Amino acid sequence: MKKYFSVLLSVCMLLCTLASISCSTVNAATYNIDFETTSKSIYLENLDTETVVYRKDSSARRFPASTTKIMTYVITSEHVPDPKNTYLNVKGEVLDMLLGTGSSMAGLEENEKVSIYQLLCCMMIPSGNDAALILADYVGNGDIDKFVDLMNSKAQSLGCEDTHFSNPHGLNDPNHYTTVEDMAKITKYALTLPFFTEITNTVTSDILGDDRYLVTTNYMIDEYRGGDYYYPYAVGIKTGSTGNDSGYCLVSMAVRDGYTYLCIAYGAPYEDEKGEQYENGAMIDSANLYKWAFENLAIKTILDKNDLVKEIGLNYAWNKDSIQLAPAEGYSTIMPDDVSLDSIDKTYSIPESIDAPVRQGDKIGTVTLSYANQKLATIDLLAGESVDRSELLTVMDGLKTIATSTWFIAVVIGIIVLALIYMIVAAVYNRRKKTRRPVKKYRKF
């Protein structure tokens, strides 16, 4: 009986040990405008915060016309490191490729020696298709198709998903298209290249000589010829039109009071059924959008990097049961002046509590910011301080877990039951022993 009880007790202790082991074992809101626009596709972005503040059919494929030359500039700039000191002779056969196309020309002449920088000016200021072809021929080593392949490859590398170029100047072709969103990506990259802003914001230039002035096609930056199109805060960039096929197109930028906006407007009506030209709706739309943005929008700080934005529970820390979370980075965006920060929705993805130890800067969760059901950004949330682990609390919690576990309770009940069975069996055994008749011993004779 004692041997049986000893084995049973050993099994119970093993179950408790197993139970103990088991218990010990993580850019954009857009806003409404209060006026009509005639351009088919529009994209307006605040470059200071990379916030798109207005879109209109921005993913539709459009003919880009001469705004194509922004990508031609990009490829040329990347392949000619010193454009002011790199010269070539204009090929007559390249100029002849434009005969009969009705192209805008910079007036380049066969066999004249010009620098790449001069050609970039001829292409971007008066929108010379002749300059675009000459640059493509030079960079492509006599193969313009090779240059166009470079344009398409660059578009892909910039994340343009709906863009395909067929030529370097923008004359109409069924396989020559882009979107205002894609052109924004191309233009923002071009803005980082040498001389781009300087050239595209030039109104007139005598770079080919005193009697061969280059004059901009962009009336928004031309105070003397621009008339009602002139907008004093406009900075560049490139016009385009191939008649009714593309409509009026414009890529422009405006800077005022420390704010910078980029606007791409494509497909404004060009002429009516009688052949009478409309006003340049791309310029009108762009100017109106700039005025609206400068007068109604402002940069607001939604999260400051130094703010403690949320508190969660903390386990196994001595005399501390919570910890504050801080954003990994500050977040600012452009918003209407009259919007209160209280209207920004914050959706947290965080645990109810975490276990010590915690190091300051550990990622704990995220917060998603949104306004008017439009997602603004998702920001990581980090531990705002370092907290060590209390081994005493850890052990006590482990014991508590064991004591309240189903395994432990079952084992304890089993021991109690076995103890009761043993006591009952022992009592019965002792009672039988007492009531057993003594055996008579007989003396041998």
Side-chain angles (χ1 to χ4, degrees):
M1 186 70 186
K2 289 182 180 180
K3 182 179 180 181
Y4 174 77
F5 182 77
S6 177
V7 171
L8 185 60
L9 184 60
S10 297
V11 171
C12 291
M13 292 178 64
L14 177 61
L15 292 176
C16 289
T17 303
L18 291 174
S20 174
I21 294 173
S22 174
C23 291
S24 64
T25 300
V26 149
N27 169 146
T30 57
Y31 308 110
N32 296 322
I33 58 175
D34 54 2
F35 54 89
E36 296 296 323
T37 58
T38 61
S39 300
K40 292 180 179 178
S41 293
I42 298 175
Y43 178 97
L44 180 66
E45 178 179 347
N46 175 266
L47 296 183
D48 309 295
T49 60
E50 297 184 339
T51 304
V52 181
V53 296
Y54 181 75
R55 301 174 191 262
K56 177 182 177 182
D57 209 6
S58 60
S59 60
R61 293 178 176 179
R62 305 288 181 197
F63 289 125
S66 284
T67 63
T68 298
K69 292 165 184 166
I70 296 173
M71 179 59 91
T72 303
Y73 188 106
V74 168
I75 301 304
T76 302
S77 180
E78 289 188 335
H79 287 79
V80 184
D82 188 8
K84 288 189 174 183
N85 294 301
T86 304
Y87 290 83
L88 58 81
N89 291 319
V90 175
K91 295 180 181 179
E93 59 266 31
V94 175
L95 296 178
D96 291 343
M97 296 173 66
L98 294 171
L99 294 176
T101 62
S103 292
S104 57
M105 307 287 278
L108 294 165
E109 299 173 355
E110 183 177 358
N111 293 324
E112 73 171 314
K113 186 177 182 180
V114 289
S115 70
I116 297 299
Y117 181 82
Q118 288 175 306
L119 289 171
L120 290 172
C121 291
C122 289
M123 178 176 69
M124 302 304 287
I125 299 173
S127 197
N129 285 3
D130 47 356
L133 271 184
I134 293 166
L135 288 168
D137 178 77
Y138 175 80
V139 175
N141 291 319
D143 187 346
I144 293 175
D145 289 337
K146 179 179 178 182
F147 183 90
V148 173
D149 288 341
L150 293 173
M151 296 172 69
N152 288 316
S153 177
K154 188 64 181 182
Q156 290 184 350
S157 71
L158 292 174
C160 300
E161 298 180 354
D162 288 290
T163 294
H164 186 270
F165 297 110
S166 297
N167 58 64
H169 40 60
L171 290 179
N172 283 334
D173 186 289
N175 292 317
H176 191 88
Y177 55 82
T178 188
T179 69
V180 290
E181 288 186 6
D182 282 355
M183 184 51 68
K185 296 174 184 177
I186 295 168
T187 304
K188 286 191 288 184
Y189 178 76
L191 287 168
T192 68
L193 299 176
F195 312 118
F196 182 80
T197 303
E198 169 192 315
I199 293 174
T200 59
N201 198 43
T202 298
V203 177
T204 61
S205 172
D206 60 355
I207 198 166
L208 291 181
D210 293 340
D211 58 343
R212 300 172 65 187
Y213 268 91
L214 305 178
V215 181
T216 185
T217 58
N218 186 359
Y219 293 143
M220 288 189 74
I221 64 174
D222 191 339
E223 183 177 3
Y224 301 101
R225 300 176 183 83
D228 293 338
Y229 294 124
Y230 175 69
Y231 183 67
Y233 304 107
V235 181
I237 296 174
K238 190 71 195 74
T239 62
S241 180
T242 56
N244 286 328
D245 290 322
S246 69
Y248 288 111
C249 300
L250 178 67
V251 176
S252 62
M253 190 167 65
V255 180
R256 174 183 167 185
D257 299 330
Y259 290 85
T260 303
Y261 286 91
L262 173 70
C263 185
I264 294 90
Y266 277 177
Y270 184 77
E271 61 183 17
D272 61 19
E273 296 177 352
K274 298 179 180 180
E276 295 181 3
Q277 280 188 235
Y278 291 104
E279 292 183 306
N280 192 318
M283 292 189 185
I284 295 172
D285 291 343
S286 298
N288 287 337
L289 284 164
Y290 288 139
K291 293 173 186 177
W292 165 78
F294 287 131
E295 294 171 4
N296 294 281
L297 305 179
I299 293 177
K300 295 177 182 283
T301 299
I302 309 301
L303 284 180
D304 190 286
K305 184 177 181 180
N306 298 316
D307 288 345
L308 299 175
V309 298
K310 199 67 174 177
E311 185 177 58
I312 62 172
L314 181 64
N315 306 317
Y316 309 131
W318 186 259
N319 202 29
K320 189 175 182 63
D321 58 6
S322 66
I323 189 169
Q324 296 278 359
L325 304 184
E329 57 185 344
Y331 178 75
S332 298
T333 190
I334 200 85
M335 300 189 72
D337 280 328
D338 57 357
V339 170
S340 169
L341 294 183
D342 293 336
S343 63
I344 303 298
D345 295 321
K346 299 181 178 69
T347 303
Y348 293 93
S349 178
I350 53 177
E352 291 186 4
S353 65
I354 58 173
D355 297 340
V358 181
R359 299 276 76 85
Q360 186 176 19
D362 286 351
K363 179 181 175 180
I364 307 301
T366 62
V367 57
T368 297
L369 308 173
S370 57
Y371 170 71
N373 296 320
Q374 296 185 75
K375 179 180 175 181
L376 298 174
T378 297
I379 307 296
D380 289 341
L381 294 178
L382 313 178
E385 60 181 315
S386 297
V387 182
D388 293 328
R389 185 185 186 95
S390 170
E391 296 303 328
L392 176 61
L393 292 178
T394 303
V395 172
M396 291 176 61
D397 186 76
L399 293 174
K400 177 182 176 182
T401 301
I402 293 173
T404 57
S405 69
T406 304
W407 278 95
F408 185 84
I409 293 173
V411 168
V412 170
I413 292 175
I415 292 173
I416 293 173
V417 170
L418 290 174
L420 289 173
I421 293 173
Y422 176 81
M423 293 171 64
I424 293 171
V425 170
V428 171
Y429 176 80
N430 289 332
R431 181 178 298 177
R432 288 182 177 180
K433 184 177 180 181
K434 289 180 179 180
T435 57
R436 186 179 299 169
R437 293 181 179 180
V439 179
K440 291 183 178 181
K441 294 183 179 180
Y442 295 95
R443 184 179 300 173
K444 293 182 180 181
F445 293 98

